[in-house]
Amino acid sequence: METLALPPQATQVGLAVDVAAFAMHGGELQVLLVQRGELPHARAWALPGGFVHPGEDLHEAALRELRTETSVTLEPRHLEQFYTFGAPGRDPRGRIVSVAHLAVLAHGAVDVTGGGHTLGAGWFPAHRPPALAFDHAAILTRALGRLRVRLEYAHLALEFLSDTFTLPELQRVHEAILDRPLDKRNFRKRLLAQGLLVASGERRSGVGRPAQLYRRAKGARAAAL
Amino acid sequence: METLALPPQATQVGLAVDVAAFAMHGGELQVLLVQRGELPHARAWALPGGFVHPGEDLHEAALRELRTETSVTLEPRHLEQFYTFGAPGRDPRGRIVSVAHLAVLAHGAVDVTGGGHTLGAGWFPAHRPPALAFDHAAILTRALGRLRVRLEYAHLALEFLSDTFTLPELQRVHEAILDRPLDKRNFRKRLLAQGLLVASGERRSGVGRPAQLYRRAKGARAAAL
DNA sequence: CCAAAAGTGTTCCGTCTACACCCATGG
DNA sequence: CCATGGGTGTAGACGGAACACTTTTGG
């Protein structure tokens, strides 16, 4: 593969990935953060991320960083890059370009501890995060914007839930991402009209009337891009 | 700025930008291509692009490549990155990651010749391009998809035209990007209802009834992101 | 007067919004 | 029986799609 040399003007830069990983927890949209163990920004919270290995695809690198910097073991239900941050000076160590990714984790995958060279990991409210290292606040803001857009196009909300779920649960996912309340009747009408959901048995929640359980209809795949 | 060294696991890669630059020409949507003068893919057509210089922002690099690889002198009316292509093996020279950009050039800026180390430059039909070097066909396809999306959100179609323009001209821009015909009455109604356009004098085209000239209303700015 | 392109309205239909009450269960 | 949350329908507003003829100019 190395049949030709890189031309002399080829700037060598550090290539990194950062991952904004979201999940629902306690009825709220949460983002996964790690506490840095090294300079720069030691002890500051940051998005999980790190350098891409030689020969490794960007997508693989994002998956690896998610697994090694946190104790998240489940595969993300959704992973896509959404923007590349490359301003000179965004990292004091030199020219580092980061391809930012958006990940969605299913409901179960919420217990995390740190891993690798981080001091810890945890979930934080996505719309009110703590102070973040580097330009990660800007990355998170943009990730939330992309998440909102994807909610309309693809059926990304389903990826936050287990295989079976209730409509009120699904509505809470939409509300958490859009950060505003939705009308119950209109929400149900719209979702059921799409024909992507099929009912199954019942379920009792702690209190109140039990909710109908739904499942994604087979043959319903997200419309990508 | 170089207060800290890059950690040893920091993969060094070549960082490039590629630009899919569009303009209207002859009532058709065209994309700007250059003919490569060097290996690999010598004499093949490709999107203009090249390596980012040290200390240079991605945006600046895209502008520079556009200016030096082609004779386009006007500033693009719109320039944004839309995807980063980083698969190992996409470039036989080694690991090269390219941040792909979408550019829109105004109506006048259509005379191009090659520059730098290219053999030439020219405009080609965007929906039926010639064979392209590297993975540039995939980049172009994705650029067209982004252009379609932007047409709805922002008011990107105006950037293809001069400051004053007629509604039929604007309609042709929309039709060229969407690659399908639009109804004249519905198009006018929709556009004028948005209140972003104001009328001015008249103009005679070669044949037929002269069309009203319009101008973008002041205080109308594209909704970004 | 003819060719060519600009300009103009109405109807229909589907989708979104607002809005209030009854139902099933557990304690 | 009461507290809690699940489930249901309708009317009005709005926006997009379909559709054909008249107007203005140059040659």
Side-chain angles (χ1 to χ4, degrees), chain A residues 1-58:
Chain A
M1 181 186 298
E2 298 270 352
T3 56
L4 292 159
L6 282 176
Q9 75 274 23
T11 305
Q12 297 283 301
V13 303
L15 178 65
V17 291
D18 286 308
V19 184
F22 298 99
M24 290 295 293
H25 209 195
E28 207 183 357
L29 183 68
Q30 309 244 30
V31 61
L32 181 55
L33 300 178
V34 298
Q35 192 172 24
R36 291 179 55 83
E38 298 176 347
L39 289 174
H41 298 289
R43 305 199 61 81
W45 290 97
L47 297 174
F51 292 99
V52 176
H53 290 177
E56 185 183 46
D57 194 18
L58 299 173

Side-chain angles (χ1 to χ4, degrees), chain A residues 1-7 9-15 39-40 51-58 81 83-84 86-89 92-97 99 117 142 146 149 152-153 225, chain B residues 1-7 9-15 39-40 51-58 81 83-84 86-89 92-97 99 117 142 146 149 152-153 225:
Chain A
M1 181 186 298
E2 298 270 352
T3 56
L4 292 159
L6 282 176
Q9 75 274 23
T11 305
Q12 297 283 301
V13 303
L15 178 65
L39 289 174
F51 292 99
V52 176
H53 290 177
E56 185 183 46
D57 194 18
L58 299 173
Q81 66 155 273
Y83 202 77
T84 296
R93 290 169 291 184
R95 190 69 192 274
I96 297 180
V97 170
V99 182
H117 32 272
R142 212 171 183 112
R146 177 63 68 104
V149 169
E152 302 170 16
Y153 279 106
L225 191 104
Chain B
M1 181 186 296
E2 298 270 352
T3 56
L4 292 159
L6 281 175
Q9 75 275 23
T11 306
Q12 297 284 301
V13 303
L15 178 66
L39 288 174
F51 292 100
V52 177
H53 289 177
E56 185 183 46
D57 195 18
L58 299 173
Q81 64 155 271
Y83 201 77
T84 296
R93 291 169 291 183
R95 189 70 192 274
I96 296 179
V97 169
V99 182
H117 33 270
R142 212 172 182 111
R146 178 63 68 105
V149 169
E152 302 170 15
Y153 279 106
L225 189 105

Side-chain angles (χ1 to χ4, degrees), chain B residues 44-111:
Chain B
W45 290 97
L47 298 174
F51 292 100
V52 177
H53 289 177
E56 185 183 46
D57 195 18
L58 299 173
H59 191 91
E60 293 168 27
L63 287 173
R64 178 179 50 73
E65 289 294 340
L66 203 53
R67 276 194 293 259
T68 60
E69 289 215 325
T70 72
S71 65
V72 166
T73 53
L74 287 185
E75 290 289 298
R77 296 290 203 86
H78 179 83
L79 180 66
E80 67 172 313
Q81 64 155 271
F82 66 90
Y83 201 77
T84 296
F85 293 81
R90 63 176 289 276
D91 191 312
R93 291 169 291 183
R95 189 70 192 274
I96 296 179
V97 169
S98 176
V99 182
H101 287 71
L102 164 67
V104 174
L105 299 181
H107 185 66
V110 290
D111 295 323

